[in-house]
Amino acid sequence: MPACSQICGNMDINGVAIEELKLHCSLRSKNWKDILDDLDDDPADFSETSDTWTNSPKLTVIPLPSNLGVDRCRRCMAEDLIPLEMSLREGQANDALHNLRIHLCNKAILFRTTVRQAKSQALKTRAWSQVTSVQQAVSLHASIYTKTRKQMMQLEPGQDQLQKYKPLLREQLKISTAVGDPNARVDLGGSDHSWNEEFYRVHWLQAKSLRDRWKEELLVVESEMDWTCNFFLRKAAQWIERMGESSANRLRGHACYSGRQSRMYLLLAQDAQAAFQDLKRIQIDDSDE
């Protein structure tokens, strides 16, 4: 009997603990349900009704600090999540801006190399389809950046972040085919010309690397010319030595063959030297580099 009463007492204690745990979980779920219900107050945020929204993962609002609000996060003691989401939003904005630069440059190159060079109607249609595809990518990343910046504004960003992530204007999505012309000198930035300076600095570095690469290639080619002539002369000298050995051993056939081979390599060396000298006489102007 004492054992049975002890077991029953333990069961009562465990039952009370389970009921308290159920009550605690129900209260937490109710609080989060209230928060999510508050997010559904504005019908303009959703394209479908609330009945379909509950079963549509694409339309489900994630309870992030930018959606809940900074004040609500502070009341829920979740303000440590605000800088985490801010860093994620900064990375998302940086990726969107990077993709925008790439696609805008690609669009400028398409206009310069594909659209303008198309002579037939089929080539023009194909070129404009490529431009349309790139423009759709530009619109997508511009929309992503705009939405990301809107969410960042809900997180009370600092002055540096406001200065770095500015609103995206429609004029900034336009391109100029002059960026593909190495001789063009146009105004591509604001009053401070910072964009201009960076663009021409990158262009100058690319041109310098190409110039250095060709100078190195010229040095290698000139060395290969000398190596070719030295190879022919070396082979001619080897066959002359063999001809002398064959003559000393009274091998007339071997001596004749060795003399013929040495003569052949001497002629090859002379022809190579004559051809290479004509090429080396060509003067390379510094402006051509």
Side-chain angles (χ1 to χ4, degrees):
M1 291 297 292
C4 293
S5 61
Q6 184 178 1
I7 293 173
C8 293
N10 292 335
M11 291 178 62
D12 294 337
I13 295 174
N14 292 335
V16 172
I18 292 174
E19 292 298 329
E20 290 180 353
L21 182 61
K22 288 182 178 179
L23 180 61
H24 180 68
C25 293
S26 63
L27 291 175
R28 288 182 62 87
S29 62
K30 184 177 180 181
N31 292 335
W32 281 107
K33 186 176 183 300
D34 295 338
I35 293 173
L36 293 177
D37 291 339
D38 294 340
L39 295 177
D40 198 21
D41 291 342
D42 188 8
D45 293 339
F46 308 98
S47 59
E48 299 190 20
T49 61
S50 60
D51 295 335
T52 59
W53 169 71
T54 56
N55 297 324
S56 300
K58 293 183 179 180
L59 300 178
T60 302
V61 178
I62 302 175
L64 293 174
S66 59
N67 293 327
L68 299 177
V70 176
D71 295 335
R72 184 180 292 272
C73 289
R74 290 171 180 170
R75 289 198 301 269
C76 296
M77 293 182 294
E79 56 183 351
D80 56 335
L81 300 178
I82 296 177
L84 296 178
E85 185 185 359
M86 179 63 73
S87 62
L88 293 176
R89 295 294 183 182
E90 288 181 359
Q92 188 178 12
N94 292 333
D95 291 340
L97 291 176
H98 175 71
N99 291 325
L100 274 175
R101 294 188 185 100
I102 292 177
H103 289 297
L104 288 175
C105 292
N106 189 17
K107 186 178 179 181
I109 293 174
L110 283 176
F111 270 108
R112 183 173 179 84
T113 61
T114 305
V115 176
R116 293 183 180 179
Q117 302 297 329
K119 302 300 180 182
S120 63
Q121 185 65 31
L123 293 178
K124 289 182 180 180
T125 303
R126 189 179 304 171
W128 278 106
S129 65
Q130 295 178 4
V131 173
T132 303
S133 177
V134 174
Q135 182 60 36
Q136 291 176 355
V138 170
S139 301
L140 174 62
H141 293 294
S143 177
I144 292 175
Y145 174 79
T146 302
K147 180 63 176 178
T148 302
R149 186 183 181 277
K150 181 180 177 182
Q151 295 299 112
M152 291 174 64
M153 295 301 104
Q154 302 296 328
L155 301 175
E156 298 181 357
Q159 188 63 31
D160 296 338
Q161 294 169 331
L162 292 175
Q163 186 68 21
K164 183 178 181 180
Y165 300 101
K166 298 180 180 179
L168 190 63
L169 303 178
R170 187 178 297 273
E171 292 77 12
Q172 296 173 341
L173 299 179
K174 296 181 180 179
I175 61 169
S176 175
T177 56
V179 298
D181 187 2
N183 297 321
R185 195 75 183 178
V186 295
D187 187 9
L188 302 174
S191 57
D192 56 350
H193 300 281
S194 59
W195 202 93
N196 276 357
E197 297 300 330
E198 182 177 359
F199 171 75
Y200 290 118
R201 180 179 64 83
V202 174
H203 181 72
W204 182 85
L205 290 175
Q206 291 178 347
K208 184 178 182 299
S209 62
L210 182 61
R211 174 179 176 272
D212 294 341
R213 189 185 310 164
W214 280 109
K215 289 181 68 176
E216 182 180 358
E217 187 69 21
L218 177 61
L219 181 62
V220 172
V221 170
E222 290 179 350
S223 299
E224 289 178 350
M225 294 178 182
D226 297 334
W227 297 337
T228 303
C229 295
N230 293 335
F231 172 77
F232 291 149
L233 294 175
R234 175 60 179 168
K235 296 295 290 185
Q238 288 179 352
W239 283 107
I240 289 175
E241 292 178 0
R242 293 173 184 174
M243 184 178 64
E245 294 176 357
S246 299
S247 300
N249 295 328
R250 297 181 179 181
L251 298 174
R252 296 182 179 179
H254 293 73
C256 292
Y257 181 78
S258 299
R260 180 181 177 183
Q261 290 297 109
S262 64
R263 179 63 178 172
M264 181 187 69
Y265 280 108
L266 284 174
L267 292 176
L268 288 175
Q270 293 175 1
D271 294 340
Q273 289 175 351
F276 295 156
Q277 285 178 359
D278 293 338
L279 293 176
K280 290 182 179 180
R281 290 195 188 99
I282 299 176
Q283 298 293 331
I284 299 177
D285 192 2
D286 294 338
S287 60
D288 296 336
E289 296 181 357

